[in-house]
Amino acid sequence: MSNTEQQSEEHNEGHKAMIKTPKQLLVTVALAFLVPIAIIVMLVNLVTASMGTGAGSDALAPEAIAQRIQPVAGFKLVDANAVKELKTGQQVYETTCTACHAAGIAGAPKFGDAGAWGPLLKQGQDALVNAAIHGIRAMPPKGGNPSLDDLEVARAVVYMANATGADFKEPAAADGQQAKDEAKPADVSTAAKASEAPKAAETAKPAAAAQDTAKVDPAGIKLYDTVCFACHAAGIAGAPKFGDQAAWKPYIETGMDSMVQKAIHGVGAMPPRGGSQASDEEIRAAVQHMVNAAK
């Protein structure tokens, strides 16, 4: 036998030694397909898991989450008997006006947009201030914040107008105005007379309605006036408007407990507890206050 024939025979025998049976052939073919597929699946899972945890970003950081769920406007509960300190125009804008004017919601002229503010500035400072105080179109009186002083509203108008090129003069607090604010208890007789009118009207309501009103905790009214009104006063972001029977009817039909739970845990664009630190009892009282107004 020649060397060439001997080498050829040894080569064939080597091949025959690797795959000797049909079963081994099938296993080899199956592995040739399954191993690459398994590797691809593992790589896909690795990439998907990395994306789900926000790799390379701080989207799930506590600060980022708090930023996303914060209320439309920043409000805090204050003592109604505390001495009132008049805010600057910028402070009023940042706590109240920004809810609509920052993004131009509901037709509000966007902050800094000279084109949107131009026609309004031609009306003059007094006309703009008057409209802001008493409300106009979709904008409620004082931007929905009844706790604001007229002077504070005027300052906010000047701040926004001047940001678009106007030259309005910011009104200053009159001499003794702070003292007048502190002396409000002296006007008790006027306040008492004003409170008598609602009481007289209340006696004319059905007994059931009177009982519902009696159940409202004053803390609920306070919570509404300082937090909930930001959206519910004008029906912003789909919130049922305060006093709108048609808008509140579907919610009232679900029952008080259901409404309270949604207010506590958040629903739709509304963050949990309206973005406040109110207790469950205060939330229930605020919901009851709004429900009573819609009956």
Side-chain angles (χ1 to χ4, degrees), residues 62-72 269-276:
E63 295 79 5
I65 295 175
Q67 179 68 22
R68 289 197 298 274
I69 67 173
Q70 68 178 348
V72 175
M270 175 184 172
R273 303 179 188 277
S276 73

Side-chain angles (χ1 to χ4, degrees), residues 5-93:
E5 291 175 348
Q6 184 177 1
Q7 291 176 356
S8 177
E9 185 177 351
E10 292 176 353
H11 181 72
N12 292 333
E13 289 179 355
H15 279 289
K16 291 179 181 179
M18 295 178 63
I19 302 176
K20 297 180 178 180
T21 66
K23 183 177 181 180
Q24 291 178 342
L25 177 61
L26 291 175
V27 172
T28 302
V29 173
L31 290 176
F33 283 98
L34 293 177
V35 171
I37 292 175
I39 294 175
I40 293 174
V41 171
M42 292 174 62
L43 290 175
V44 171
N45 289 336
L46 178 61
V47 172
T48 304
S50 298
M51 294 175 62
T53 55
S57 71
D58 58 352
L60 297 182
E63 295 79 5
I65 295 175
Q67 179 68 22
R68 289 197 298 274
I69 67 173
Q70 68 178 348
V72 175
F75 297 97
K76 61 180 180 179
L77 297 177
V78 296
D79 185 356
N81 297 321
V83 176
K84 182 175 179 62
E85 297 181 1
L86 296 178
K87 299 181 178 67
T88 65
Q90 181 176 355
Q91 290 173 331
V92 175
Y93 169 79

Side-chain angles (χ1 to χ4, degrees), residues 84-132:
K84 182 175 179 62
E85 297 181 1
L86 296 178
K87 299 181 178 67
T88 65
Q90 181 176 355
Q91 290 173 331
V92 175
Y93 169 79
E94 292 175 349
T95 57
T96 302
C97 312
T98 185
C100 293
H101 287 280
I105 296 175
K110 191 173 181 180
F111 183 81
D113 187 340
W117 278 92
L120 300 176
L121 298 181
K122 294 179 181 179
Q123 299 177 17
Q125 180 173 346
D126 292 341
L128 290 181
V129 170
N130 184 67

Side-chain angles (χ1 to χ4, degrees), residues 69-219:
I69 67 173
Q70 68 178 348
V72 175
F75 297 97
K76 61 180 180 179
L77 297 177
V78 296
D79 185 356
N81 297 321
V83 176
K84 182 175 179 62
E85 297 181 1
L86 296 178
K87 299 181 178 67
T88 65
Q90 181 176 355
Q91 290 173 331
V92 175
Y93 169 79
E94 292 175 349
T95 57
T96 302
C97 312
T98 185
C100 293
H101 287 280
I105 296 175
K110 191 173 181 180
F111 183 81
D113 187 340
W117 278 92
L120 300 176
L121 298 181
K122 294 179 181 179
Q123 299 177 17
Q125 180 173 346
D126 292 341
L128 290 181
V129 170
N130 184 67
I133 292 175
H134 299 98
I136 182 172
R137 292 186 289 276
M139 175 183 171
K142 298 185 178 182
N145 188 350
S147 66
L148 290 176
D149 187 88
D150 288 357
L151 181 61
E152 292 175 313
V153 176
R155 287 177 173 178
V157 170
V158 171
Y159 173 73
M160 290 187 287
N162 289 349
T164 60
D167 191 23
F168 291 168
K169 183 178 180 181
E170 180 175 307
D175 293 340
Q177 183 164 2
Q178 294 285 15
K180 290 180 181 179
D181 288 336
E182 297 173 3
K184 284 183 179 179
D187 298 326
V188 173
S189 59
T190 302
K193 291 179 180 179
S195 64
E196 290 175 359
K199 290 180 180 179
E202 187 65 28
T203 58
K205 292 182 179 181
Q211 291 175 358
D212 286 341
T213 302
K215 295 179 182 178
V216 178
D217 189 327

